Amino acid sequence: MKSIIVKPPKAGVEMVDLDLKEKLSAKYILVKTIENGICGTDRGIANGNLSFARVPSGYDYLILGHETLGMVIEVGDEVKGIKKGDLVVPIVRRGCNNCLNCLAGRQDYCETGQFSEIGIRGLHGTMREFFIDEEKNLVVLPKSLKEIGVLLEPLSNIVKTFEAVGLIQKRMIWNCQDSSFECRNAGIIGSGPIGLLFALLSRSKGFNVYVMNKREPSSLEEQICNAIEAKFINMTKDEIPNFDLLIDTSGYPSAFIPLIDKINKNGLLVLFGTTSKDSHPLDTNLVNHIVESNITILGSVNASKNNFIEGVNLLSAWNNSYPELLKKLITNKVKAEDAIPYILNKPKGEIKTVIIW
Ligand code: BGC
Ligand code: ZN
């Protein structure tokens, strides 16, 4: 079975032929990989920059891949809700089985840190021709979403973030007088796949949306922003409005800290991106503003199965309201045998690169 492997903490990625002797219990589901998305996490691991990446126990390599679209080709005797031919997406994180959140299916809020993540920490991923998983870890997609189903995993993380934002903002009245969110501004730093998916979801919730980057938009970014009625802001020269919700997808403190004084009273700063080697001081004026304005800073990572399921509904809805738009987020499609350069480096103009098996 052709597989794309890494050997963290070492940099490097290779395609190898593996014969994994995986256990076939009555609960197994054999899935043929159709596509994998490549994201910053994969690139961080492949370039040896993500310290939390680790190989599964008993192996000296890790099969990469956590953004997946697959098709079921065989199911064990005890499998009830999934059948041959179904399109499926696996959730990423598998719980520690030891804390209350993991035991309740909320391993995205694991308290012990002893969780695993496919293709990232301690479990093989899906950048391979086939993989085996259990029903509880798989989300079924309607066939109509085949072309964009690979976007479900990144989207699930954004659904989880909004779930948390909604719960936190119940601390007071945050909706507008007509009960909508149309009087609220959401600013998103970064216009990659995560930034644009945040823009889509914020628009769907009714926010006025501003997508920000330190440059002019590409023509594709412009098209996407126009289609969803979001405004693109070049942070180096355009005027920046005030925000009720500021979402950073860049991970650069020097990008989001200077914008904290643009956050309105009772607002939120959401930190979603991570990176290395940048710093920016948080001076007392900003601390005072955060305190005096009841501003919440929220970090968010990963997603539960329920967030994936809500993501399926969103993809279906967006497929109707913005026909053809989501496909445009997939800017590059590469065959598995040609994928390595794309895993190591982001090609120019990329929104999402997808590996085809
Ligand atoms: C994945 C998450 C995962 C995170 C780890 C992301 O790329 O989508 O599921 O928890 O990486 O930092
Ligand atoms: Zn990812």
Side-chain angles (χ1 to χ4, degrees):
M1 167 178 65
K2 280 194 214 114
S3 311
I4 295 174
I5 64 161
V6 287
K7 296 188 173 169
K10 277 191 280 183
V13 53
E14 52 185 312
M15 166 85 94
V16 293
D17 211 345
L18 294 176
D19 184 14
L20 284 192
K21 302 267 181 286
E22 285 178 303
K23 205 169 81 234
L24 294 184
S25 72
K27 289 185 176 158
Y28 81 93
I29 297 178
L30 179 62
V31 184
K32 181 183 168 0
T33 309
I34 301 174
E35 290 173 357
N36 291 114
I38 302 175
C39 81
T41 306
D42 301 310
R43 292 196 173 117
I45 298 171
N47 288 295
N49 296 331
L50 271 194
S51 56
F52 57 66
R54 55 185 162 85
V55 300
S57 73
Y59 292 87
D60 67 349
Y61 63 86
L62 168 75
I63 302 177
L64 205 57
H66 63 276
E67 298 189 5
T68 321
L69 174 69
M71 182 180 283
V72 174
I73 52 175
E74 210 178 288
V75 300
D77 293 339
E78 279 176 29
V79 176
K80 296 275 178 301
I82 292 187
K83 55 183 190 313
K84 196 173 157 181
D86 280 349
L87 290 180
V88 288
V89 172
I91 62 167
V92 175
R93 190 177 286 189
R94 313 300 164 91
C96 71
N97 273 327
N98 228 345
C99 78
L100 289 174
N101 284 307
C102 286
L103 292 170
R106 290 310 306 245
Q107 55 270 25
D108 55 319
Y109 286 108
C110 176
E111 290 186 53
T112 63
Q114 306 300 311
F115 58 82
S116 316
E117 290 181 334
I118 60 167
I120 303 173
R121 317 175 204 227
L123 286 175
H124 286 313
T126 57
M127 286 190 189
R128 47 172 151 163
E129 290 175 280
F130 305 95
F131 63 93
I132 286 167
D133 214 330
E134 289 180 45
E135 193 166 350
K136 65 171 196 255
N137 298 321
L138 295 173
V139 178
V140 178
L141 281 172
K143 300 273 187 306
S144 56
L145 294 183
K146 189 169 180 193
E147 275 185 285
I148 53 171
V150 71
L151 298 173
L152 179 60
E153 192 282 331
L155 175 60
S156 70
N157 297 307
I158 288 151
V159 173
K160 179 249 178 87
T161 306
F162 260 91
E163 173 187 61
V165 169
L167 290 168
I168 291 166
Q169 293 306 74
K170 292 242 155 65
R171 62 193 165 136
M172 32 93 213
I173 307 294
W174 205 44
N175 55 262
C176 316
Q177 240 184 330
D178 64 359
S179 84
S180 77
F181 288 96
E182 287 163 11
C183 63
R184 299 283 179 207
N185 286 354
I188 297 147
I189 304 172
S191 53
I194 294 294
L196 292 171
L197 288 171
F198 263 119
L200 263 153
L201 188 50
S202 316
R203 279 299 295 140
S204 300
K205 303 258 180 203
F207 289 83
N208 303 308
V209 173
Y210 299 84
V211 175
M212 297 181 275
N213 212 324
K214 290 187 166 157
R215 54 167 171 77
E216 290 297 296
S218 69
S219 67
L220 181 55
E221 287 165 338
E222 204 166 357
Q223 249 182 65
I224 293 169
C225 287
N226 286 342
I228 65 172
E229 296 174 71
K231 196 170 182 306
F232 192 100
I233 291 186
N234 177 342
M235 298 162 81
T236 64
K237 67 177 209 358
D238 297 340
E239 199 193 316
I240 301 182
N242 280 12
F243 303 112
D244 301 290
L245 179 59
L246 177 64
I247 300 166
D248 176 70
T249 71
S250 77
Y252 286 93
S254 59
F256 63 80
I257 290 185
L259 293 191
I260 290 179
D261 69 354
K262 295 276 183 188
I263 303 178
N264 288 332
K265 290 207 166 41
N266 308 330
L268 274 134
L269 168 63
V270 174
L271 303 186
F272 190 95
T274 55
T275 185
S276 49
K277 300 192 195 84
D278 183 50
S279 70
H280 195 88
L282 189 64
D283 64 32
T284 49
N285 284 332
L286 286 180
V287 173
N288 293 348
H289 174 60
I290 293 170
V291 174
E292 295 297 327
S293 306
N294 292 305
I295 289 169
T296 298
I297 301 179
L298 165 71
S300 185
V301 69
N302 197 252
S304 70
K305 187 174 184 181
N306 198 42
N307 303 137
F308 278 75
I309 293 168
E310 193 180 331
V312 174
N313 294 330
L314 287 169
L315 288 179
S316 301
W318 292 341
N319 234 3
N320 284 325
S321 41
Y322 310 113
E324 306 297 305
L325 186 78
L326 288 160
K327 273 191 254 172
K328 291 191 177 149
L329 298 182
I330 301 173
T331 45
N332 306 62
K333 289 189 180 185
V334 294
K335 289 200 229 115
E337 49 271 35
D338 303 327
I340 287 174
Y342 292 84
I343 296 173
L344 288 168
N345 294 298
K346 178 180 148 123
K348 205 167 173 285
E350 169 196 83
I351 296 179
K352 175 63 74 181
T353 294
V354 165
I355 301 174
I356 315 280
W357 288 89

